[in-house]
Amino acid sequence: MPRTSHAALHLAVALDGAGWHPAAWREPDARPGELFTARYWTDLVTEAERGLLDFVTIDDSLSLQSSRHVEPDERTDQVRGRLDAVLIAARVAPSTRNIGVIPTAVVTHTEPFHLSKAIATLDHVSTGRAGIQVRVSVRADEATHFGRRTVPGLRIEDLATAAGRSTAAGRSAAGQSWVKELFDEAADYVEVLRRLWDSWEDDAEIRDVATGRFIDRDKLHYIDFEGAHFNVKGPSITPRPPQGQPLVAALAHATVPYELVARSADIGFVTPSGADDARAVLAGIRAAQASAGRADETVHVFGDLVVFLDGDPGAAADRKARLDERAGVEYSSDARVFTGSPAQLADLLEELRDAGLTGFRLRPAALPYDLEQITRLLVPELQRRGAFRTAYEANTLRGLLGLPRPANRYAAA
């Protein structure tokens, strides 16, 4: 018998192409001919909302997908090409009513002013269900699209073995310093976003036809941000978002990204291998949060898992083996790969929740199949255990996650 849960957990899905397994597009129920259509993405997000999930994230990058970590490949047997995640989010948001929508944006080569108004617009379009997942880029091929900076010779392979670390020590030290600088830049980027979202007070728009006053100019504020990476005067050209501050999320695998989550994010996505690892990751994030002066703020930490789900655990394993054979290599990921039944996954989620994680972002291995296994089998199993909601309890993303609407930093007390 499953145990009775002590606390409900939060649940989200990460959407990317035909699914997270590179051969998923070849599955019988895949829709490779529709990957670049609005209907495909609307159907996925609508299915996620049917399962009462907290939010979806939509993956994105500034380069073609690759089987290599930091450089392109020449493969033609896997999905290549993307639609813009922010624009997908703006298209699907009006087709849903409760689920949060969090697109991904690379902040290394883009400008915070542009992204701030895009996400503020998404929050207006969705009536308060928007967020943004910020991503740092260390890829040289992405830098060449812009021509504004050079990328040092940092290679993942250099750090894979002791010999590699020894022979590449000098380059790695320079690379690590450069990576920290990129994450510091990302923290500044998020600070600019947040200040721009606050640059209009909530009641700055008067819209009084009789007097001819549309806005109160005294309630629009220069943010006057001056930092090592950005100088932004403001104010925004978009009124304050319905949530005040849309949610900021980031994926983190190591100390420097953990610090970005602790300093700047509302949600961190992490990839622990098990409960003990989850506790260690959480301890690092909470310590960094305290150092950043945010000990009293709620920062959700979600565990990421790639999932192959079937009612019969053997069928899930067989499906993964079939996809691996088609891909020509056994699938692995930065996140733990789970293969089994919804009941077995529910057991794991409860174990990791008890280790301190507040939620989980599941990456469906194949779409739409594994998404439907989540919404139609996993969610009912969690509900039966008292571990997940049976109805939406709020109409904003902040409300779903139990986060307050922040006061405007520029408004007079």
Side-chain angles (χ1 to χ4, degrees):
M1 292 289 293
R3 57 187 167 174
T4 300
S5 295
H6 299 292
L9 53 82
H10 296 285
L11 199 61
V13 290
L15 301 178
D16 185 24
W20 287 81
H21 194 288
W25 69 277
R26 300 171 66 183
E27 285 290 271
D29 60 347
R31 297 160 61 182
E34 299 180 60
L35 293 181
F36 306 123
T37 67
R39 183 173 68 174
Y40 176 76
W41 293 95
T42 300
D43 287 350
L44 293 179
V45 179
T46 300
E47 179 64 32
E49 184 171 64
R50 187 176 294 118
L52 305 177
L53 304 189
D54 289 79
F55 58 85
V56 300
T57 61
I58 303 169
D59 214 55
D60 206 352
S61 66
L62 295 175
S63 56
L64 291 176
Q65 300 93 321
S66 177
S67 57
R68 300 170 183 167
H69 290 291
V70 294
E71 60 188 0
D73 62 17
E74 302 300 325
R75 299 191 69 148
T76 59
D77 61 333
Q78 299 176 2
V79 172
R80 294 293 182 265
R82 301 181 184 276
L83 298 180
D84 183 273
V86 174
L87 295 180
I88 293 173
R91 174 62 180 82
V92 303
S95 301
T96 56
R97 298 184 60 184
N98 298 102
I99 193 166
V101 186
I102 303 181
T104 300
V106 177
V107 299
T108 305
H109 303 292
T110 58
E111 292 294 331
F113 189 89
H114 295 150
L115 188 62
S116 74
K117 67 188 184 73
I119 301 305
T121 299
L122 178 61
D123 208 45
H124 283 285
V125 168
S126 66
T127 61
R129 294 179 286 121
I132 183 66
Q133 179 181 338
V134 296
R135 173 171 290 170
V136 167
S137 170
V138 299
R139 292 183 56 150
D141 59 317
E142 294 188 353
T144 61
H145 295 324
F146 301 90
R148 292 200 294 262
R149 67 173 90 198
T150 57
V151 173
L154 178 69
R155 298 185 303 172
I156 295 297
E157 291 80 1
D158 289 339
L159 306 178
T161 66
R165 286 191 293 271
S166 176
T167 58
R171 178 168 58 194
S172 296
Q176 290 296 331
S177 175
W178 174 72
V179 168
K180 186 179 187 310
E181 181 180 346
L182 289 182
F183 278 90
D184 287 343
E185 178 185 63
D188 277 3
Y189 195 112
V190 173
E191 179 64 18
V192 174
L193 293 180
R194 293 193 183 281
R195 292 192 191 189
L196 287 168
W197 290 332
D198 276 351
S199 64
W200 288 54
E201 295 186 35
D202 289 321
D203 56 351
E205 298 166 84
I206 301 170
R207 305 176 188 171
D208 190 329
V209 174
T211 64
R213 296 183 70 207
F214 190 86
I215 61 171
D216 183 344
R217 189 61 185 80
D218 291 336
K219 295 189 175 183
L220 272 61
H221 300 276
Y222 296 114
I223 69 168
D224 291 326
F225 182 90
E226 294 186 9
H229 307 96
F230 304 103
N231 292 320
V232 181
K233 189 172 183 62
S236 176
I237 64 169
T238 306
R240 194 172 193 233
Q243 293 184 102
Q245 294 276 322
L247 275 290
V248 175
L251 173 64
H253 297 105
T255 299
V256 171
Y258 294 158
E259 291 172 352
L260 174 65
V261 169
R263 293 164 60 187
S264 304
D266 303 291
I267 308 170
F269 303 125
V270 299
T271 55
S273 58
D276 289 343
D277 192 22
R279 292 186 185 94
V281 169
L282 280 163
I285 291 176
R286 299 308 181 204
Q289 194 178 334
S291 296
R294 299 184 70 203
D296 295 333
E297 297 182 34
T298 298
V299 176
H300 283 291
V301 181
F302 278 48
D304 270 21
L305 298 97
V306 180
V307 296
F308 296 80
L309 285 177
D310 278 284
D312 177 1
D318 290 345
R319 185 160 55 89
K320 180 180 182 296
R322 184 179 71 249
L323 288 168
D324 287 348
E325 184 177 4
R326 286 181 176 171
V329 64
E330 182 178 1
Y331 177 75
S332 62
S333 172
D334 59 310
R336 178 171 175 173
V337 178
F338 174 88
T339 304
S341 70
Q344 291 172 328
L345 180 55
D347 288 341
L348 176 60
L349 297 187
E350 289 194 321
E351 178 186 354
L352 293 171
R353 185 273 317 276
D354 292 346
L357 297 178
T358 53
F360 301 92
R361 184 176 68 156
L362 305 181
R363 305 180 190 179
L367 294 169
Y369 187 85
D370 287 301
L371 173 60
E372 293 172 353
Q373 297 296 294
I374 292 167
T375 58
R376 302 178 189 187
L377 294 180
L378 174 65
V379 165
E381 176 65 23
L382 291 170
Q383 290 170 332
R384 187 169 68 85
R385 301 176 184 215
F388 194 64
R389 67 171 63 90
T390 56
Y392 279 113
E393 302 131 350
N395 57 9
T396 69
L397 181 53
R398 281 188 168 273
L400 289 176
L401 295 174
L403 299 174
R405 186 178 189 275
N408 188 309
R409 74 190 68 196
Y410 299 112

